[in-house]
């Protein structure tokens, strides 16, 4: 179809939609657009925009679904990522959260998530229209509602925030005020008998995006403690990776090194590393070797980063009687080369203080390190 024919077809399609008077017929047409999704050929932006103010809520929900499906296409996403579309949708999200409007709220979150996915236009319009504040308020309103439907709304709204924040520093700065809210979500998940992995992952991803886009940002101590507690509770390799990502970046700050040491974070990391290696050797891990190896590298790197902090190092050495020091001494003879290397680097950090160095030499750690070096 050439350009003129396509334009003519679009005009005809627009007229067809505008002239539908029967509500059921209009609903069928909207369902047709939803089914076609990103493969729908025509530009019906003006029609869908006008239908957002329809008096029939079912039609409004179908219009929002149609825009959401169309926005899965990059080109169409730019078309619909406009103030005339985003503002009315955000206004609908300001409605009181109750059991009667959950479908509308879910579809609004879905479409906003799609309009902010790899689209700075959608992000900018959302920012200018107080989208972050509205989404945060919506998420907060779901926190005291113990129901799977509200859990889904919370997750969809959180994914909107994530798609928004990924855009870069400007957008990550805009969500800094939401950090405590996502900390609350993580704390709520910790209190459950069975954490919701998708909600935990989304919340951790948001924290990690802020870490990446604003590397100088220091999270409150309670947030870093919560992430450490998630790492303590989870058995999920992917979530462990996200926790380690966050802690590794935050541990560039001496205060966080000390926090991790005082909260026995390295005890936890060492235990997990040994468990991972044991399970990997017996084939009991439900994860790819590459993923496990990456998590192991993160954990080993975190150990060394924490030990570069003077206060943390002294705390963990404990006059040569510390548990972490003993583990590192044991790892010097471990069959796993990654643990051996980590132990050697850890010993180098413990030896930064003269009296530690003398004590380690008296205990023949120097001799053991020298023999290992000769083996390499």
């Amino acid at each position: 179809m050439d350009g003129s024919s396509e334009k003519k077809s679009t005009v005809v399609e627009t007229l067809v939609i505008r002239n539908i008077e029967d509500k059921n017929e209009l609903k069928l047409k909207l369902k047709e657009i939803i089914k076609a999704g990103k493969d729908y050929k025509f530009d019906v932006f003006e029609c869908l925009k006008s239908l957002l103010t329809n008096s029939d809520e079912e039609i409004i929900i179908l219009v929002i679904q149609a825009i959401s499906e169309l926005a899965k296409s990059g080109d169409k996403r730019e078309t619909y990522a406009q103030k005339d579309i985003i503002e009315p949708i955000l206004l609908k999200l300001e409605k009181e959260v109750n059991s009667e409007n959950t479908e509308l709220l879910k579809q609004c979150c879905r479409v906003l998530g799609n309009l902010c996915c790899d689209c700075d236009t959608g992000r900018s319009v959302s920012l200018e229209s107080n989208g972050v504040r509205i989404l945060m308020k919506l998420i907060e309103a779901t926190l005291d509602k113990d129901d799977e439907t509200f859990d889904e709304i919370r997750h969809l709204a959180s994914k909107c925030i994530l798609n928004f924040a990924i855009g870069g520093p400007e957008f990550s700065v805009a969500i800094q005020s939401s950090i405590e809210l996502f900390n609350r979500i993580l704390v709520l998940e910790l209190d459950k008998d069975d954490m919701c992995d998708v909600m935990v992952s989304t919340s951790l991803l948001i924290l990690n995006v802020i870490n990446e886009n604003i590397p100088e940002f220091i999270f409150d101590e309670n947030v870093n403690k919560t992430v450490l507690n998630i790492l303590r509770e989870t058995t999920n390799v992917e979530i462990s990776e996200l926790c380690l990502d966050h802690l590794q970046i935050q541990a560039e700050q001496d205060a966080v090194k000390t926090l991790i040491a005082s909260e026995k974070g390295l005890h936890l990391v060492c235990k997990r590393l040994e468990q991972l290696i044991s399970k990997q050797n017996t084939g009991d891990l439900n994860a790819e070797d590459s993923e496990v190896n990456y998590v192991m590298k993160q954990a080993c790197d975190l150990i060394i980063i924490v030990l570069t902090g003077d206060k943390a190092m002294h705390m963990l050495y404990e006059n040569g009687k510390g548990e972490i020091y003993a583990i590192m001494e044991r790892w010097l003879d471990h069959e796993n080369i990654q643990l051996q290397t980590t132990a050697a680097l850890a010993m180098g950090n413990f030896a930064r203080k003269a009296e530690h160095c003398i004590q380690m030499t008296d205990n023949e750690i120097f001799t053991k390190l020298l023999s290992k070096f000769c083996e390499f």
Side-chain angles (χ1 to χ4, degrees), residues 268-325:
L268 167 66
V269 169
C270 291
K271 182 180 177 182
R272 284 295 177 80
L273 274 166
E274 291 179 341
Q275 287 174 342
L276 274 174
I277 289 169
S278 175
K279 288 183 178 180
Q280 190 177 39
N281 290 341
T282 56
D284 291 333
L285 277 175
N286 293 320
E288 297 290 331
D289 281 348
S290 58
E291 188 178 15
V292 175
N293 291 335
Y294 179 70
V295 170
M296 285 175 58
K297 183 182 184 307
Q298 283 178 301
C300 289
D301 287 348
L302 180 62
I303 292 170
I304 302 309
I305 289 170
V306 170
L307 289 173
T308 60
D310 287 339
K311 191 172 180 180
M313 182 270 286
H314 285 298
M315 193 181 296
L316 296 168
Y317 184 69
E318 291 183 58
N319 198 33
K321 298 176 181 176
E323 187 180 347
I324 295 301
Y325 177 74

Side-chain angles (χ1 to χ4, degrees), residues 140-369:
E140 192 160 13
T142 68
L143 292 180
D144 62 350
K145 299 184 186 300
D146 188 18
D147 182 278
E148 286 185 9
T149 303
F150 295 109
D151 289 347
E152 187 180 0
I153 291 171
R154 185 186 313 137
H155 184 234
L156 289 168
S158 298
K159 285 181 73 176
C160 283
I161 295 278
L162 176 60
N163 282 353
F164 173 84
I166 286 171
E170 174 192 359
F171 303 108
S172 287
V173 166
I175 69 160
Q176 280 181 320
S177 59
S178 71
I179 290 171
E180 185 52 40
L181 179 61
F182 287 104
N183 183 56
R184 283 175 62 193
I185 290 172
L186 290 173
V187 170
L188 282 173
E189 292 298 332
L190 279 167
D191 287 341
K192 294 179 180 178
D193 292 333
D194 186 19
M195 289 192 295
C196 174
D197 285 351
V198 290
M199 191 67 246
V200 170
S201 295
T202 301
S203 300
L204 289 171
L205 280 166
I206 289 167
L207 300 186
N208 282 341
V209 167
I210 294 172
N211 268 322
E212 290 170 15
N213 287 334
I214 320 171
E216 71 281 2
F217 183 76
I218 304 174
F219 286 77
D220 285 344
E221 184 178 290
N222 65 323
V223 178
N224 289 326
K225 276 187 180 179
T226 299
V227 175
L228 195 53
N229 287 332
I230 292 287
L231 180 62
R232 205 183 305 278
E233 292 299 319
T234 191
T235 57
N236 184 302
V237 173
E238 188 178 311
I239 290 175
S240 298
E241 180 182 326
L242 291 171
C243 290
L244 290 166
D245 270 337
H246 173 85
L247 293 169
Q248 193 173 324
I249 293 172
Q250 286 292 295
E252 295 295 336
Q253 308 295 327
D254 280 346
V256 182
K257 293 181 177 76
T258 305
L259 171 70
I260 293 171
S262 64
E263 292 291 319
K264 294 191 174 295
L266 290 198
H267 297 72
L268 167 66
V269 169
C270 291
K271 182 180 177 182
R272 284 295 177 80
L273 274 166
E274 291 179 341
Q275 287 174 342
L276 274 174
I277 289 169
S278 175
K279 288 183 178 180
Q280 190 177 39
N281 290 341
T282 56
D284 291 333
L285 277 175
N286 293 320
E288 297 290 331
D289 281 348
S290 58
E291 188 178 15
V292 175
N293 291 335
Y294 179 70
V295 170
M296 285 175 58
K297 183 182 184 307
Q298 283 178 301
C300 289
D301 287 348
L302 180 62
I303 292 170
I304 302 309
I305 289 170
V306 170
L307 289 173
T308 60
D310 287 339
K311 191 172 180 180
M313 182 270 286
H314 285 298
M315 193 181 296
L316 296 168
Y317 184 69
E318 291 183 58
N319 198 33
K321 298 176 181 176
E323 187 180 347
I324 295 301
Y325 177 74
I327 291 171
M328 292 302 111
E329 186 176 356
R330 177 162 52 80
W331 280 6
L332 286 172
D333 295 317
H334 203 285
E335 61 183 12
N336 184 282
I337 190 66
Q338 201 163 16
L339 295 195
Q340 278 191 39
T341 305
T342 301
L345 291 169
M347 290 303 178
N349 278 292
F350 284 127
R352 290 204 315 274
K353 194 169 176 63
E355 49 263 47
H356 293 182
C357 198
I358 293 167
Q359 194 173 25
M360 290 166 70
T361 302
D362 290 343
N363 292 334
E364 299 187 348
I365 294 297
F366 176 77
T367 305
K368 185 177 282 190
L369 284 168

